[in-house]
Amino acid sequence: MAEYLSSEHGIGVRDGKFCAHPLLKRLGHPEGAVRASFGAGTTSDDVDRLLDALGTLCATTDHRPTRTRRGVPRMTIQLDTPRSAVTIGRPGFQVAIAGDVVAQTFPIVVRRETLRGAQRARSLLRAGTHDQANFVVALEVEVAIASHAASARAAVAQAGAATDNSDTIRYVGTTHGLITLLRDIYAAEVADAVILVPIDGSATDSRIREQVLPVFAEARHRVA
């Protein structure tokens, strides 16, 4: 469902188990759930847009009520075969590591302390071009990832990279969390590309190349 909302409607939501595995299992959804969160900039129009997207999903899919082993009713949604999403005026999402050849091809790179600030910068920059389909605004994101968030934080502390010295967005956590953040950045039109800057050196660099870049290389989707 998260992929559908992103690719078909440009809405970024989080999916997964949210560190609540026993609860989801008891509710009959061990595979996970979808969470739509409110933010400081969320408006009533944003809420209506999400509800409309969910209404469209419900109207075009097969809903089959089932029961879990505990007898709790559960609604299973069988998605139709996804349509190929093609957007006019939006370049496909790209992710690269700082210093790589791909990262050096992005004509405009911004550094902002918040996603809202990056989103506004991109909007202003793209407003001045007539070639929307090929105009790429890349965002630099400092990153440290590990199998556990605590390990990533420890690596940042060991590297001596203080948070208050950063002038751009920083993510410290797990690989899955980074992938979700990157998808949200594109879906919310914060940036058309992201340049990842490893904070702790080769450890994060290797994880990005092995676990993150392949995800986006295989799914160069476009959203409206």
Side-chain angles (χ1 to χ4, degrees):
M1 182 180 290
E3 183 177 353
Y4 163 81
L5 290 173
S6 174
S7 63
E8 297 294 325
H9 297 279
I11 298 174
V13 296
R14 292 190 178 278
D15 64 335
K17 299 183 180 180
F18 310 115
C19 299
H21 299 63
L23 175 61
L24 288 168
K25 184 177 180 180
R26 182 167 184 174
L27 293 175
H29 295 281
E31 70 280 3
V34 173
R35 182 183 72 203
S37 304
F38 292 95
T42 303
T43 66
S44 58
D45 289 338
D46 295 327
V47 177
D48 289 339
R49 184 179 172 202
L50 173 62
L51 293 176
D52 289 341
L54 292 174
T56 301
L57 174 64
C58 293
T60 57
T61 55
D62 176 27
H63 299 69
R64 298 175 296 175
T66 60
R67 288 185 176 272
T68 65
R69 290 183 299 177
R70 295 177 179 270
V72 179
R74 179 177 67 181
M75 185 69 73
T76 300
I77 299 177
Q78 182 65 44
L79 294 177
D80 293 334
T81 303
R83 297 169 294 174
S84 57
V86 178
T87 294
I88 298 176
R90 182 87 193 271
F93 189 44
Q94 298 182 71
V95 180
I97 298 178
D100 284 0
V101 175
V102 175
Q104 297 173 17
T105 64
F106 302 139
I108 299 178
V109 179
V110 299
R111 295 173 63 87
R112 292 293 186 275
E113 295 181 355
T114 65
L115 292 174
R116 176 67 69 181
Q119 187 180 51
R120 289 172 178 167
R122 174 188 176 275
S123 179
L124 290 173
L125 289 166
R126 285 178 64 83
T129 181
H130 298 291
D131 189 11
Q132 297 279 329
N134 297 308
F135 191 82
V136 176
V137 177
L139 171 67
E140 273 198 8
V141 177
E142 295 181 347
V143 177
I145 54 176
S147 55
H148 300 285
S151 299
R153 290 192 293 269
V156 172
Q158 187 175 6
T163 303
D164 54 5
N165 291 336
S166 175
D167 61 352
T168 193
I169 295 164
R170 172 176 289 188
Y171 175 82
V172 179
T174 64
T175 300
H176 178 75
L178 175 59
I179 291 172
T180 301
L181 172 63
L182 293 173
R183 286 172 172 162
D184 287 350
I185 285 175
Y186 188 59
E189 301 194 21
V190 173
D192 307 298
V194 172
I195 299 176
L196 300 175
V197 183
I199 301 173
D200 58 340
S202 60
T204 287
D205 186 290
S206 297
R207 287 190 176 90
I208 292 173
R209 295 185 189 281
E210 296 171 3
Q211 303 171 19
V212 179
L213 296 186
V215 172
F216 295 95
E218 296 172 2
R220 287 284 301 278
H221 58 275
R222 298 171 182 261
V223 299

